[in-house]
Amino acid sequence: MRANPVSTESTDAPELPHEPRLLPWTGQEGRPCYLITDDHGGPVSRLADATESIQLGMGTELLAHAHELLPVTPRGELRFLAERLTGALRDALRVAESRGQRLDRLN
């Protein structure tokens, strides 16, 4: 039985350090949460992807709902609608920032 020779020269490109991923939720006191992993398909990454999808879908539905309600909504109810829209926009911007950071690393 012959042993395969072991090369001391690496043919693989050097591994890039993994950048933290901004997650679509916040931690205590509204601080951003980050994920540091080399497993892009891990359970927390999948949960973050699913959460982003839900947040963007809810924002889309809320925007359509607001579009219908704004012309006929009494002033008192506008504050509630504005609060929900603000939250949806905050979530969408966090998703956009996170995805933008990941795209920058690919380029």
Side-chain angles (χ1 to χ4, degrees), residues 26-97:
T26 58
Q28 293 178 341
E29 300 174 12
R31 294 182 182 157
C33 290
Y34 294 91
L35 173 65
I36 300 173
T37 181
D38 57 359
D39 183 9
H40 299 292
V44 177
S45 291
R46 288 191 306 271
L47 177 61
D49 291 342
T51 302
E52 288 177 351
S53 180
I54 290 167
Q55 288 173 332
L56 293 175
M58 288 174 61
T60 299
E61 289 178 17
L62 183 58
L63 185 59
H65 184 64
H67 183 73
E68 293 173 6
L69 288 181
L70 280 176
V72 296
T73 303
R75 287 183 186 254
E77 294 178 27
L78 287 178
R79 179 178 175 91
F80 179 77
L81 182 59
E83 289 172 351
R84 299 289 79 74
L85 286 169
T86 301
L89 178 58
R90 181 187 58 246
D91 292 342
L93 290 173
R94 186 178 304 114
V95 170
E97 180 181 353

Side-chain angles (χ1 to χ4, degrees), residues 10-19 37-40:
S10 175
T11 57
D12 295 334
E15 241 184 81
L16 298 174
H18 296 284
E19 298 281 333
T37 181
D38 57 359
D39 183 9
H40 299 292

